[in-house]
Amino acid sequence: MKKPVYLDYAATTPVDPVVADEMVKYLTQDGIFGNPASRTHSFGWQAEAAVENARRQVADLIHADPREIVWTSGATESDNLAIKGVAALHQNAHIVTSTVEHKAVIDTCHWLEQQGVEITWLNPGPDGRVAPEEVIEALQGNTVLVSLMLVNNELGCVTDIATIGEALRERGVLLHVDAAQAAGKLPVSVKTLKVDLLSLSAHKVYGPKGVGALYVRRAPEVRLEAQIHGGGHERGMRSGTLPTHQIVGMGRAFDVAGQCLEDEVIRLEELRQRFLSGLDQLEGVHFNGSEEQRVPGIVNLSFEGVEAESLMLGLRYLAVSSGSACASAAMEPSYVLRGIGVSDQLAHRALRFSFGRFTTEEEVDFACQQISEVVQRLRSLR
Ligand SMILES: *Cc1c(COP(=O)(O)O)cnc(C)c1O
């Protein structure tokens, strides 16, 4: 069977071959397989050196100090550690977040709400971006944390975190940012964004699945209550033997991302333009999310008169995802599209196309041709 064209880079990315080559050197007997926490022999020292090198590579991409990087199993865990870790240190805490966050933030905040933490759920504008003024208005005397994403994973829109960060720092409220979809797609500096906590994932940036990091600001120090207890690794914030090969992979992937960033943004913007012009002739197509403040690799479109389900079935040579988070059999439309005011009908008709490092012009052209053909066929059947 012909392999479908992969247009779901926002869900995950393939590991870059140079990253995979690096990772295999940290597994077997002839490689550096030691426990990075072993202090008594060279096996441990070499593994520790590799972990620290990766820590610097990840820190460099976001202009942080390596000592501010805590390894986790992915952005989901980073989000949990940041939000629960801050909430646990306060009585009668209040947290501000939004209705279009990733489930890792939404479900964590829902859980805290059940534990008695007060949560304010902000609605973004139709462009998918939470307005800084709304964040400031939502602050209370007991607000300890604001948690907002930098790039939305369904829409690709970019939130004005720098303005929000500036305002929160003046007021002494901590800011956590989920940057899983931002790293490697736009310049991310914890200094200019003025964030205190920032979640990262390797597998959205051509690294391996199952590893991520949380940036935890050092000066002044942000204190967190650990969520996983054990050997006191990662300065007590996250216990567990460090997965050297995963960490080395994340470091190398972030290093490559930093080198490629400028060129990749330009190339993906060209592919995005090519994709949109390729669909120009097709009528009844709605663009979801901000057209200007966005990363180039994610395009969310609603097709009038065509259910996303049928469209995906028809597009069997394309690997895409529906805007709908179809967690239930009831096929609820995407809470993100709903959150920005897209009608239920158009939310049911939305697909997310996401491009990346290995997407070619030919693939984009093929996608446009397939989409046009299938949409027209499905419309003619009505
Ligand atoms: C993918 C993603 C996550 C989850 O990351 P994992 O490393 O898979 O746990 C969290 N937030 C956003 C915005 C994402 O895109």
Side-chain angles (χ1 to χ4, degrees), residues 33-341:
F33 69 88
N35 187 328
S38 293
R39 288 285 153 78
T40 51
H41 48 68
S42 61
F43 295 84
W45 303 333
Q46 286 180 330
E48 190 194 18
V51 164
E52 294 315 312
N53 182 53
R55 204 186 293 278
R56 188 184 41 73
Q57 289 172 316
V58 169
D60 281 351
L61 189 71
I62 60 168
H63 300 170
D65 184 298
R67 291 170 297 179
E68 297 175 311
I69 301 298
V70 174
W71 300 115
T72 65
S73 62
T76 299
E77 187 190 330
S78 301
D79 290 345
N80 272 265
L81 174 56
I83 300 170
K84 291 177 187 166
V86 168
L89 295 175
H90 296 89
Q91 302 277 315
N92 306 315
H94 171 239
I95 293 175
V96 177
T97 187
S98 92
T99 53
V100 297
E101 298 305 304
H102 190 273
K103 283 286 184 188
V105 168
I106 292 201
D107 288 355
T108 300
C109 288
H110 272 310
W111 183 82
L112 285 172
E113 216 166 22
Q114 284 162 7
Q115 312 299 307
V117 175
E118 193 183 347
I119 311 279
T120 296
W121 300 92
L122 298 175
N123 272 313
D127 61 355
R129 306 168 74 224
V130 173
E133 311 82 67
E134 303 233 347
V135 177
I136 294 154
E137 260 172 49
L139 300 178
Q140 305 174 177
N142 60 338
T143 310
V144 294
L145 181 72
V146 171
S147 178
L148 293 171
M149 67 207 318
L150 182 49
V151 173
N152 184 280
N153 49 301
E154 283 195 33
L155 302 167
C157 55
V158 183
T159 305
D160 185 1
I161 294 294
T163 302
I164 296 169
E166 175 93 49
L168 294 180
R169 189 140 306 173
E170 282 168 9
R171 292 164 174 81
V173 174
L174 294 179
L175 174 59
H176 165 247
V177 166
D178 182 334
Q181 291 289 348
K185 298 194 177 109
L186 74 165
V188 176
S189 163
V190 293
K191 301 227 163 60
T192 34
L193 294 178
K194 295 202 163 60
V195 303
D196 302 288
L197 297 153
L198 183 120
S199 300
L200 297 166
S201 177
H203 76 95
K204 306 285 173 69
V205 196
Y206 310 94
K209 294 166 190 54
V211 63
L214 180 66
Y215 157 83
V216 184
R217 189 161 59 89
R218 263 174 67 90
E221 188 189 12
V222 176
R223 290 205 316 118
L224 287 181
E225 175 108 348
Q227 302 299 305
I228 295 181
H229 304 94
H233 306 73
E234 299 297 278
R235 285 168 287 120
M237 276 185 271
R238 204 283 193 173
S239 289
T241 299
L242 295 176
T244 316
H245 63 300
Q246 302 285 84
I247 288 171
V248 163
M250 180 163 180
R252 189 77 175 96
F254 274 52
D255 182 38
V256 174
Q259 289 165 26
C260 299
L261 182 62
E262 255 178 72
D263 293 345
E264 212 152 79
V265 168
I266 295 168
R267 206 182 71 86
L268 289 177
E269 180 57 32
E270 281 166 8
L271 288 182
R272 187 177 94 91
Q273 295 296 343
R274 192 179 181 97
F275 180 66
L276 291 175
S277 8
L279 295 176
D280 242 6
Q281 299 303 312
L282 198 61
E283 277 165 29
V285 182
H286 299 259
F287 189 95
N288 297 316
S290 172
E291 298 235 28
E292 294 87 33
Q293 300 299 319
R294 57 176 312 98
V295 292
I298 301 177
V299 181
N300 193 307
L301 300 175
S302 290
F303 300 87
E304 279 175 23
V306 186
E307 296 291 322
E309 268 43 58
S310 333
L311 184 50
M312 272 197 292
L313 277 178
L315 293 173
R316 62 183 183 284
Y317 298 120
L318 302 184
V320 300
S321 86
S322 118
S324 322
C326 31
S328 68
M331 287 310 305
E332 287 287 303
S334 150
Y335 67 89
V336 171
L337 292 176
R338 247 200 214 155
I340 64 168

